[in-house]
Each structure stands twice: as structure tokens, then as C-alpha cells.
Amino acid sequence: MTSPTHTEAPVRWRPHTAVLAFGAFAVGTDGFVVAGLLPSIATSLHVSVAAAGQLVTVFSISYAVLAPVLAALTASWPRRRVLVTALAVFAAGNAITALAPSYDLVLASRVVAAAGAALFTATASATAALLAGDRERGRAISIVMLGVTTALVLGAPLGTLIGGLADWRAAMWLVTALALVAAPAIGLRLPSATGQGNGDLRAFLAPLRNRRIVGLLVTTVVAFTGIYIPYTYVSEVFAPAYAGTSGLAVLLLVYGLSGTVGNLTAGHLADRYGPRRVIVAVTLILAAAFALTPLGRGTLGAAVAIIMIVGFLSFSVTTPQQHLLITLAGPGSGLITSLYQSALYLAVSLSGGAGALALEGWGAAHLPHLAAVLMLAAATLTVANGTRAGQTPRSSDILT
């Protein structure tokens, strides 16, 4: 199968994208499940929970740093080889985590797993967009991201359950097995698609000369720092609304389910109305939802309603942003999506630190207010970035 042209969308791209989504499910499960296993990891490795939490930090930082570097080094490889290699590295990292007898080795293994995860997720999104063509690009990306949201709804709870029934190492073996199932499926089913680039590490600097791409990456950091602050501290934000872990589990389940619907809806809307229009609308509405979030802290029913709205909107940002980045970048979009993943994981790291400072200084009730301010900033940056340098703003610049 030849690579699709810029305007021609191939038929039957959905089955291939579904295979990529399964790989994203494996990667996403790893990213979400570790946080739920921290107490048992800490006990097993004889470290504090805070020290065990550094496994998440190391994974996020490694992901952010390695994503563009690995994308540049593999830019000339066939996409199928990149994806299979990424899952193999990811599986190896998780296998080492499961076998490691010491904290230091577990910490190092998270770097290996992050390398595979970063390379896979960025390449999968770009490959799905390539296979679908211009007209259905948003829907293709949303299907890949469906694997991530499904990991939040199904994979993480399943891994946590297995970790509770057996131990945390069994959960890591589950993640390893998922990757080992996805790799041959992608290797056998994905059509041939050639890479764009010559494997020069300096290539990853080229997109950073485009001010609109840089602006969108900065917007990504701002937006997702705002999105992840309330999510990271959801147990504190909604503490008055629930009693025990069952109430929190309900909130997280609702968040994941509504986020899945939001992700798929955003893909359709981005194809129909243009990604920038969707980003501006969603970030503005999300700012209002965060501003009203403290009103839902009193009862579980109100908290569920707020979480449903926030989850839907939060997962409606990532697909349009990747859609817009790929549109701006053209050829070599795998490199662009890797930079997007770096920005996303930088936001995850910043949200933990900024949220902790705000929690200590202002209290849990005001964390959503900080998130609302950041969403307004993201909307403003998105509109400003739509204006081409040296030109009078036009609606096509701002909204398409």
C-alpha cells in the first residue's frame, strides 16, 4: 500500500488505526497504573511512598526529553518498524521493572519504559493521521487516543486490581503482556508507510523555527498544566463529597468514561469545523467549568455532574491540538507529535509542583480556580497564535 497523498484519504484506515489504539492502550495502562501501585511498591522495595512516587516523575521527565530525540533518530525508518521497536523497548522496560530486586534498578527501568512509550505514542498518532488523510485526520487521531482513555477506564483499574490480588509485579507483567500482544499485531497488519527524514538528530530543531508551532506547544503546556492540576489532586478537591475509596473510584470512573466520549466527539468536530475553533471553544468552556467546580464539592451527586463535564472537556483538547500541529507541520509530522508529547508530559510534571504549592498556600477549593485561569490563558494563546506575523487577523487565521 502506498502512502496517501495530501488530499486523498485511503479506504479502510479504521482497522489499522484500531491496532494502533490497542498499542496505545498498553502504553496508557502503564502510565496510569503505577500511581495506584505506589504504596505496595514502596513496601516491597523498602522505601517511602514519596520515593516510590519518583517512579512517576522519572517516567514523565524521561518521556518529555526522549520523545523528540528518538523521533529524530528514527525519522527515516519505516513506521511499522518504529512502532514494533517502540513496543519491544517498552515491554523490556516493564519486564525489568517486574524483575528488579532494588529501587535503583526499578527507577532505571522506568527510563527504558518511557523511551518506548514516548516513541510509540507520537509515531502512532502521526501514522494514523497519515493513513486517514486530510479529511478524516481528527477521527483517526481520536481513535488512537481512545486507547489511552480506555486505559484510564479499564486498564488502570484492572492493573490495580491484579496488583492488589497478587502484587505490583504482576501488574507490570500485565502491561508487558499487552505490549507483546500489540507488537506482532502491528507488524503483521499495519500497511507500509515510509518515514520522513534522514535520521539527523538536528532535525528535531527545525520545527522550532516555526513560531506558530512553538506557540502551539507553549499553549499545550499551559492548557494541560491547568487540566492536570485538578485531576492530580482530585481526592483533595472533592474530599467533602465522598467517603472512602469507593466514592473516589466512582468519580475517576465517570471522568474516564466522559473523557472517552469527549475525545471521540472532538475528533469529529475538528474535522468538521477546524481544530483551532474547537480548541478555543473547549478551553473557554472548560475555564467556566473549572470556575464552577467548587460548587460541586458538597455532595457526591454534584461532584459526579462536575466531573462528567470536566472529563468530557479535558479530553476534547488533545486530539484537535495534534490535528492542528500535523496540519501546520506537513511532512515529518511524527517529529511534531513527539514534540507535542514532550510538551504534554512537561505539563504533567508542572501540574504536580504547581498544584502542591497552590494546595498548601490556598487550599484545595481554589485549585480549580487556578486551572480556570490557565485555561483562559490557553484560549488567548490559541487565538493569538492563529494570527500570522505581520498580517491583519482574519477569521480563517483564528478559527481554522
Side-chain angles (χ1 to χ4, degrees), residues 14-309:
R14 287 176 177 81
H16 305 307
T17 307
V19 175
L20 295 174
F22 183 76
F25 173 75
V27 172
T29 298
D30 181 45
F32 291 123
V33 77
V34 170
L37 299 172
L38 292 182
S40 58
I41 291 174
T43 301
S44 172
L45 298 177
H46 308 291
V47 297
S48 67
V49 174
Q54 298 311 302
L55 300 178
V56 177
T57 303
V58 166
F59 184 93
S60 298
I61 294 175
S62 299
Y63 193 119
V65 172
L66 292 173
V69 176
L70 293 174
L73 292 174
T74 60
S76 62
W77 293 16
R79 299 299 85 187
R80 187 163 52 196
R81 185 198 302 172
V82 174
L83 291 163
V84 172
T85 300
L87 285 175
V89 172
F90 174 76
N94 279 283
I96 295 171
T97 301
L99 293 169
S102 67
Y103 172 75
D104 290 341
L105 186 53
V106 170
L107 204 63
S109 72
R110 300 315 294 156
V111 177
V112 178
L119 183 57
F120 180 85
T121 305
T123 307
S125 294
T127 302
L130 175 67
L131 293 174
D134 289 355
R135 288 173 296 181
E136 298 180 297
R137 177 180 295 156
R139 273 166 279 192
I141 296 172
S142 70
I143 290 175
V144 174
M145 296 310 298
L146 177 62
V148 178
T149 57
T150 304
L152 178 61
V153 175
L154 178 62
L158 178 61
T160 303
L161 177 63
I162 291 175
L165 294 175
D167 64 8
W168 65 271
R169 297 181 189 274
M172 305 315 298
W173 282 121
L174 169 66
V175 175
T176 303
L178 289 173
L180 293 178
V181 170
I186 290 173
L188 293 173
R189 291 188 56 86
L190 195 70
S192 176
T194 58
Q196 301 280 349
N198 57 12
D200 187 353
L201 184 58
R202 293 173 298 177
F204 88 91
L205 293 175
L208 300 180
R209 291 194 289 267
N210 185 321
R211 293 176 62 184
R212 298 182 74 183
I213 289 177
V214 172
L216 189 52
L217 292 173
V218 170
T219 303
T220 298
V221 174
V222 174
F224 279 95
T225 300
I227 286 171
Y228 278 106
I229 283 174
Y231 176 77
T232 302
Y233 297 97
V234 63
S235 61
E236 297 298 319
V237 172
F238 291 101
Y242 68 90
T245 58
S246 59
L248 180 59
V250 169
L251 294 180
L252 293 177
L253 178 62
V254 170
Y255 185 90
L257 290 173
S258 60
T260 299
V261 177
N263 167 60
L264 293 175
T265 302
H268 286 277
L269 293 176
D271 286 335
R272 183 171 181 178
Y273 297 109
R276 196 181 303 276
R277 187 191 300 266
V278 176
I279 295 168
V280 172
V282 169
T283 49
L284 287 175
I285 299 171
L286 191 51
F290 280 139
L292 296 173
T293 292
L295 299 178
R297 302 181 75 223
T299 66
L300 183 59
V304 166
I306 290 290
I307 281 287
M308 185 180 299
I309 296 170

